[in-house]
Amino acid sequence: MKIVVQKFGGTSVATPEVRAKAVQKVINAKKSGYHPVVVVSAMGRNGAPYATDTLIALAKNECVDTHPREMDLLMSCGEIISSVIMVNALRAKGYEAVALTGGQAGIITDNNYGNANILKIQPDRIRMYLEMGKIPVVAGFQGVTEDGNITTLGRGGSDTTAAALAKALSASFIEIYTDVDGIMTADPRMVPNASVLKHLTYSEVFQMADQGAKVIHPKAVEIAMSCNIPLIIKNINGNGPGTVVSSYYESDYAQTAEHDPNQVITSISHMLNRTQVIIKNLDPELQNIALSRLAENGISIDLINIFPDKMIFTIDDNDSDKTRTILDQLGCSYSMIYNCSKISAIGTKMKGVPGVMSRIIKALLKNQIQILQTADSHTTISCLIKGEDTAKAMMALHEEFKLYTR
Ligand code: ADP
Ligand code: ASP
Ligand code: MG
């Protein structure tokens, strides 16, 4: 049985008009001889009545501390509503479809509410419907614990659902439908002349997603890579080829990258709402205690640099109050810069190419962008900057590495 998993993001199921396009994609897959398994996100973005952000706001406006278990129960409703509406749209076109919650689709997770990890998938029920000729429409972004509690998989987690089901069902490929033409050299909301990348490797896309490119969830890329199932990112509004993500290159980019220094960078990712924390005069023992306390409180730290007289790292803006409380309790002397952004230049070909970091720094300084911190690995160079400089900095790097010509 040839299976394709088709995931429709929030904007791809937001209105009757766009749902009609989604239905057509499912029908096309069926007509091409595939058995489609559909995964849906909650309908629309922030402000839409059943969007995830709207559900979160509903709880937060009424109560300061909704418990994580109840928060997940509430958030899971957006995708469940969407699955029922999508089933109705398919039935209206004469196709038998069945709506399933993540739990009913066999997605078993741990109880890490808000960011649960998939432990296993029991796809028997989906297979049964496929054999009956029905189209399973699975609510994305959710699973269930062994003892029956509903969990969610982290923001953007419907992509994870799609990849995990594809792996469990040995699907031929995964289609991710969204509101852009594919994976681009940068977020087009920040860099209007960003261009679509036709073919990328899993590791490149993982880096992009891990450094903030919201177009796909990093866990979804990891899962697809682990079973070598191609991921295709496409625009719901059109019939373009989108971006194919697989383990090898076919693009012109691969051939030219070795010879053209402009092609060592594939894309620029950004992560908003970062806080830089600078702790001064910290003895090593207190340093260890501070790091342990942050970890115990679920605060993830990034860009950590330790100097003899200070320690610097970044956290999410949302964690700054908790961090402040912990550091005050320990009597640390510290300062924080809120609302920073991390921008990252990514390219698996930059390894061993000299001068990439200096080009990045020069390009930013030429545009009067203050650099608060830097970090680099074999495939990524990141700079922390002030939030208000984000678009300017991304455009400067996009220009420097001539990414618009792809
Ligand atoms: P969906 O609801 O379809 O999952 P998302 O909002 O999660 O949609 O992801 C799509 C958005 O990702 C785009 O609208 C775009 O603004 C953003 N984005 C960020 N980085 C990139 C990139 N490198 N390429 C394409 N889109 C990007
Ligand atoms: N609806 C969820 C979110 O907004 C999951 C997703 O869209 O993938 O994060
Ligand atoms: Mg998404």
Side-chain angles (χ1 to χ4, degrees), residues 196-214:
V196 178
L197 293 155
K198 292 195 190 86
H199 201 137
L200 289 164
T201 61
Y202 295 117
S203 52
E204 223 150 13
V205 177
F206 178 81
Q207 286 300 327
M208 291 172 76
D210 202 40
Q211 298 301 333
K214 253 190 70 190

Side-chain angles (χ1 to χ4, degrees), residues 7 9-12 45 159 177-180 182-189 208 213-215:
K7 179 256 169 175
T11 48
S12 305
R45 288 215 171 99
D159 297 334
Y177 285 98
T178 184
D179 62 348
V180 284
I183 300 182
M184 305 177 82
T185 48
D187 187 340
R189 285 185 230 195
M208 291 172 76
K214 253 190 70 190
V215 63

Side-chain angles (χ1 to χ4, degrees), residues 255-270:
Q255 282 121 46
T256 52
E258 255 127 71
H259 312 293
D260 182 350
N262 286 317
Q263 307 251 318
V264 290
I265 300 297
T266 320
S267 65
I268 316 289
S269 285
H270 71 289

Side-chain angles (χ1 to χ4, degrees), residues 261 264 350 352-362 381 400-401:
V264 290
M350 78 164 81
V353 178
V356 184
M357 176 67 103
S358 86
R359 280 176 72 184
I360 288 175
I361 291 172
K362 275 190 207 150
I381 294 178
E400 172 63 30
F401 292 98

Side-chain angles (χ1 to χ4, degrees), residues 7-11 40-46 50-53 56 75 78-79 140-142 152-161 214 217:
K7 179 256 169 175
F8 298 96
T11 48
V40 286
S41 287
M43 299 189 294
R45 288 215 171 99
N46 201 359
Y50 313 110
T52 308
D53 285 307
I56 295 171
M75 284 197 287
E79 270 69 13
F141 176 54
Q142 57 183 268
T152 63
L153 308 178
R155 296 306 306 269
S158 296
D159 297 334
T160 315
T161 303
K214 253 190 70 190
H217 197 291

